Amino acid sequence: MKKGLIIAGSDTLSGGGLQTDIRTFSAHNLSVSNVLTCIVTLDSETNAIDICDLPVGLVEQQLQMIAFSSISVIKIGMLANLAVAKQIELFLKRMTTTPIILDPVLALKESGFGLSEKIVSFFSERLLPLADITTPNLREAELLANMTITTLADMEQAAKVIHQFGVKNVVIKGGTRLVGIEAIDLLYDGHNYTYFKAPKLQTTNNNGAGCTFASAIAANVANGLSVTESVTDAKKFVYQAIKHGFPFLDDLGNVWAPNKM
Ligand code: PXL
């Protein structure tokens, strides 16, 4: 059995983050090593998102443990701060033959969570050049490309700008924000623009959709699929996961990915 590595934050509510990434890898028959970077909870009084970073030394210690084991893919989610991001950069520079899928978690549910400009530029200048695929949502694509996205033409333009940072493939998760009845994602490999479409599902049970999509792409790459095949299959997987989502809080529920046969 192949093994994937997930570097991510814990989502206490388990819709997104490490928990969803592990479930998605398991559903794709991959075993998993993981490096935890932070813990995301909600403030019990205000319900605001609270991100508790792990000490950077502890992140480093986890990375050292898995540095020499054989890994078929590395999927990166929330890093939370610059010191942790720098440790991840050092680690990735040693893993030159392993495909790297970088989900630039800079905005939760498109809202942004007060990250500094420094971390955005660290992602573009230092992490993107090391990645094979990056999977920003629309808001993250706007932050990385430093532009507003309201149309498909804007999405193509943003993908081009992000590609110029040195990442081989850009997948922009259009989600439901663009007008129209379809959820549209875009892959740009430096030559071609490929669109992936599915009907928009009317649901608020979508916490973890972005993580699930990126993890499914990573798992498919580890299992030997091409980038286009990986995105095509992951799009079907995340559609089912959103469809099978279930309510959790009053106004938010989690996606749930049924096991693949
Ligand atoms: O879905 C984005 C995401 C990524 N990582 C962590 C999260 C979430 C969303 O809640 O908690 C740790």
Side-chain angles (χ1 to χ4, degrees), residues 148-224:
T148 306
I149 304 175
T150 49
T151 63
L152 293 182
D154 295 339
M155 223 160 127
E156 290 191 4
Q157 174 63 22
K160 202 168 192 171
V161 174
I162 295 168
H163 186 265
Q164 279 164 358
F165 288 117
V167 57
K168 295 188 190 76
N169 299 278
V170 181
V171 176
I172 299 186
K173 299 177 285 201
T176 54
R177 204 179 87 189
L178 292 184
V179 289
I181 53 166
E182 290 177 312
I184 301 179
D185 307 303
L186 169 68
L187 164 64
Y188 179 60
D189 62 2
H191 303 286
N192 298 308
Y193 296 102
T194 311
Y195 284 98
F196 303 84
K197 300 179 181 179
K200 276 183 190 170
L201 290 162
Q202 296 303 327
T203 175
T204 50
N205 302 331
N206 58 3
N207 181 31
C211 295
T212 302
F213 189 34
S215 287
I217 294 172
N220 287 334
V221 168
N223 285 328

Side-chain angles (χ1 to χ4, degrees), residues 133-148:
I133 306 176
T134 191
T135 54
N137 62 28
L138 275 189
R139 182 70 198 117
E140 290 154 354
E142 289 183 327
L143 287 168
L144 292 168
N146 196 19
M147 61 178 278
T148 306

Side-chain angles (χ1 to χ4, degrees), residues 66-86:
I66 35 96
F68 299 104
S69 62
S70 77
I71 286 163
S72 300
V73 75
I74 301 172
K75 193 262 173 176
I76 302 166
M78 189 188 271
L79 300 182
N81 69 41
L82 199 54
V84 167
K86 285 182 177 168

Side-chain angles (χ1 to χ4, degrees), residues 8-12 15-19 38-40 49 77-78 103 105 107-109 207-211:
S10 159
D11 176 0
T12 299
L18 180 62
Q19 292 80 0
C38 60
I39 299 175
V40 177
I49 289 173
M78 189 188 271
D103 195 14
V105 182
L108 292 183
K109 283 277 149 280
N207 181 31
C211 295

Side-chain angles (χ1 to χ4, degrees), residues 34 93 183 258:
N34 63 268
K93 283 186 163 165

